[in-house]
């Protein structure tokens, strides 16, 4: 069984951070405890480890991550030989390996290391660590023939040095050559070879990185603006009309600080979205007047304006030498990198080859990984009615970059584009629809009027109703133009789900619509129902909630063991509330004898084995329940919030169940990660039907 994976290369500039990040993502899907070890480091803290630590919430002591710095390693090798260097690094590696289920090893970077035969050193270290190797070959600005030859030679080199090569990755190849290279490598080596194209957004520095490298002063802008990628540089010198024609999407405008006309013109173009720019860099130490800056701030709020003291020529030389870096301060680049790796590498096959020891625990991070991976495996289209909300736009960017699902955003199209431009968000192929002006409005009005004719709704009235984004989005789902809908970040629960009750309605086998929360605890995921929809369900409804919740749990990889909660366990109590739970339990047993269920049962007896041993020693559910059904909304809502706050659990939901097609509600305090998870859940719920949403 492979206990460590060693990602290495053959030369500098291979962009292997994409692969290292992708492998870390893959490992953390499989096991709870993943360690990181970098044998040699230029300086501490290392930017990639800081990114991994922030993204994957690693608790590893940074002091254990690094073997030696390059200066120490070079001196040790010169004084005492390579064997002593390797022995020292092996000892330090095993200090990490003893503490973790699997270790990701980050190989040397071939950059100013002063170490002879660095490839052989990486190969020997991998062998001594007992690690399998993923060599990365850089193909940027190289012809296809050269890339093919280097990839074959790299495999022969590591294989010839006795390494267990898991797979080869050929990275940063020209997009126009990618398919040809992949085809010519397919089946030519004994291991898979994944060919990843060059991605300009990864090589592009962010505005913040440019400012830091140049020692620039930030005149205007916010954190979102500074996080934008500078995909191009446009230098201002021409008159305004000609200058505007030279602007390109995502460019950084570089102009002398006394050219107020170019500053205002650039920001006005950005505001109009023709095109959105990354920001403005002023040279010569000159800054426009306060009046101009006030106008600039109003034209493009958040768009960064920076100032440097130097002239344009030396500034240009420094700019062209800069390259974007993955680090903890560039989470959007990390999403781009992961999306790239997951698109071009067969991660399912690679996971099998890694054969990391499986974990019995299901951690929050593993659950979130499973959501994204499952949604990506059969992509669906989800409509997001709140298209101008910044959190929704940030979530959309993550979902699109990771290839989780296709998206439709609703709202005034110009406003969505402007808001996305202000946030520096690339919506790519995302579909944008304004319900007020859409050609679908007439069709939807007729459909809604037909649905609500029994309530006296006319086509004229329906025409106004369907301009509401939640009604429009629900009708998209009903009409097969989207597979699911997620709303609620700025709308009430009622505004989100009322259209679904009116239009989509319940499944034939469901009596009511109910909800669950996925409660991600430190070492497991529990399913709580119903904590959001039904105030006081009767026994029939409670049984329906239990059956629906078990099906939802199973769909998301949680083995259902149902606990019907009450203030009494077994036959020890009586009263109307306990009798309701007891009756609901028997109804579930009669309808679904295949389900494991216990009730009435108290919460502690449901989840704690020692308590269960005392109160219900013969039960196959007590002490190990995974689906917990609360007797009423008051109990359920308060319990989930208490566990969320006091135990530090991550609550994903509410996830609605019982509808014919998936619609889910967000909390108005939802974070970007909450939105991403809820959209992924919605996409997975939509995977059951045989037909996908049709294209407009």
């Amino acid at each position: 069984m492979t206990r460590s994976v060693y990602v290495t290369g053959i030369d500098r500039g291979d962009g292997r951070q994409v692969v290292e990040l992708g492998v870390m993502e893959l490992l953390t899907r499989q096991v709870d405890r993943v360690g990181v070890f970098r044998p040699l480091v230029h300086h501490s803290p290392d930017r990639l480890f800081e990114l991994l630590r922030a993204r994957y919430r690693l608790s590893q002591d940074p002091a254990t991550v690094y073997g030696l710095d390059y200066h120490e390693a070079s001196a040790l090798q010169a004084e005492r030989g390579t064997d002593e260097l390797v022995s020292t690094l092996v000892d330090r590696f095993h200090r990490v390996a003893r503490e973790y289920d699997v270790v990701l090893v980050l190989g040397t970077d071939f950059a100013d290391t002063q170490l002879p035969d660095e490839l052989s050193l990486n190969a020997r270290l991998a062998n001594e660590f007992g690690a399998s190797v993923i060599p990365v070959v850089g193909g940027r600005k190289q012809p296809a023939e050269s890339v093919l030859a280097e990839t074959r030679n790299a495999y022969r080199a590591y294989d010839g040095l006795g390494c267990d090569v898991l797979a080869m990755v050929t990275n940063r190849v020209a997009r126009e050559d990618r398919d040809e290279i992949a085809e010519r490598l397919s089946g030519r080596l004994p291991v898979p070879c994944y060919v990843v194209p060059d991605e300009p957004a990864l090589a592009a520095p962010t505005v913040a990185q440019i400012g830091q490298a140049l020692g620039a002063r930030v005149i205007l802008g916010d954190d979102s603006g500074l996080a934008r990628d500078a995909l191009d540089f446009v230098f201002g010198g021409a008159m305004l009309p000609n200058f505007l024609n030279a602007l390109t999407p995502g460019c950084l405008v570089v102009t002398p600080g006394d050219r107020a006309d170019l500053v205002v013109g650039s920001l006005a173009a950005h505001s109009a979205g023709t095109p959105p720019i990354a920001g403005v860099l002023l040279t010569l130490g000159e800054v426009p007047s306060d009046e101009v800056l006030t106008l600039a701030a109003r034209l493009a709020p958040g768009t960064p304006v920076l100032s440097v003291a130097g002239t344009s020529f030396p500034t240009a030389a420094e700019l062209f030498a800069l390259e974007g870096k993955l680090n903890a301060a560039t989470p959007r680049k990390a999403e781009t990198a992961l999306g790239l790796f997951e698109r071009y590498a067969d991660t399912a096959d690679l996971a099998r080859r890694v054969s990391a020891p499986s974990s019995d625990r299901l951690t929050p991070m593993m659950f979130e990984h499973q959501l994204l991976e499952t949604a990506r495996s059969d992509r669906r289209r989800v409509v997001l009615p709140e298209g101008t909300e910044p959190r929704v736009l940030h979530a959309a960017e993550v979902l699109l970059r990771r290839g989780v699902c296709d998206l439709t955003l609703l709202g005034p199209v110009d406003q969505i584009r402007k808001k996305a431009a202000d946030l520096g968000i690339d919506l790519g192929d995302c579909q944008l629809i304004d319900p007020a002006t859409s050609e679908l409005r007439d069709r939807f009005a007729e459909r809604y009027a037909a649905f609500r004719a029994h309530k006296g709704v006319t086509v004229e009235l329906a025409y106004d109703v369907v301009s509401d984004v939640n009604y429009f989005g629900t009708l998209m789902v009903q009409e097969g133009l989207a597979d699911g809908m997620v709303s609620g970040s700025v709308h009430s629960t009622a505004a989100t789900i009322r259209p679904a009750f009116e239009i989509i309605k319940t499944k034939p086998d469901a009596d009511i619509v109910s909800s669950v929360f996925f409660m991600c605890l430190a070492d497991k995921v529990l399913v709580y129902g119903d904590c959001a929809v039904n105030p006081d369900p009767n026994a029939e409804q409670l049984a329906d909630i239990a059956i629906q919740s078990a099906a939802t749990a199973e769909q998301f990889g949680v083995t259902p063991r149902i606990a019907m909660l009450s203030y009494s366990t077994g036959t020890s109590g009586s009263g109307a509330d306990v009798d309701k739970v007891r009756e609901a339990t028997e109804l579930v047993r009669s309808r679904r004898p295949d389900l494991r269920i216990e009730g009435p049962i108290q919460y502690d007896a449901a989840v704690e084995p020692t308590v269960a041993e005392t109160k219900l020693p013969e039960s196959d559910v007590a002490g190990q329940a995974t689906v917990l059904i609360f007797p009423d909304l008051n109990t359920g809502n308060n319990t989930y919030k208490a566990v969320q706050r006091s135990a530090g659990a991550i609550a994903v939901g509410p996830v609605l169940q019982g509808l014919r097609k998936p619609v889910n509600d967000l909390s108005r305090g939802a974070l970007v990660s909450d939105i991403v998870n809820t959209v992924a859940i919605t996409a997975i719920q939509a995977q059951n039907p045989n037909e996908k949403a049709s294209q407009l």
Side-chain angles (χ1 to χ4, degrees), residues 39 53 94 96 183 217 264 282 332 399 468 500 607 628 684 693:
R53 182 163 69 158
H94 282 296
V96 177
E183 183 179 353
R217 181 163 60 102
V264 172
L282 307 174
R332 291 169 60 200
L399 292 159
D468 176 90
V607 300
L628 296 108
I684 294 167

Side-chain angles (χ1 to χ4, degrees), residues 268-328:
H270 172 86
S271 179
T274 54
I277 64 173
V280 178
L281 179 63
L282 307 174
T283 61
L284 301 176
E286 295 279 346
V287 177
S289 67
D290 291 342
E291 292 80 7
V292 170
L293 290 177
T294 299
L295 175 60
R298 290 177 179 172
L299 278 171
T303 297
V305 177
L306 282 63
S307 174
V308 294
T311 60
S312 294
F313 184 78
T315 299
E318 290 187 77
L319 287 173
F320 286 122
L322 290 176
E323 187 167 314
K325 302 293 183 184
L326 285 171
N327 58 42

Side-chain angles (χ1 to χ4, degrees), residues 54 93 110 123 145 156 172 188 223 227 231 237 243 252 286 301 356 400 481 556 628 696:
F93 165 79
F110 295 83
E145 290 297 335
R156 294 189 188 106
R172 305 186 81 180
R188 303 297 176 88
D223 290 342
L231 301 176
F243 173 74
L252 180 71
E286 295 279 346
L400 292 169
L481 300 175
F556 290 92
L628 296 108
L696 286 176

Side-chain angles (χ1 to χ4, degrees), residues 519-578:
M519 300 299 294
C520 302
L521 303 172
D523 60 350
K524 58 187 172 184
V525 175
L526 300 178
V527 177
Y528 283 10
D530 174 6
C531 305
V533 178
N534 296 286
D536 188 17
N538 59 32
E540 289 273 353
Q541 293 170 332
L542 203 58
D544 191 62
I545 291 169
I547 292 170
Q548 289 184 41
S549 300
T552 299
E554 197 160 30
Q555 185 177 16
F556 290 92
V558 178
T559 302
R561 294 185 291 271
I562 308 168
M564 305 295 285
L565 298 176
S566 175
Y567 61 77
S568 173
T569 294
T571 59
S572 64
S574 61
D577 291 338
V578 179

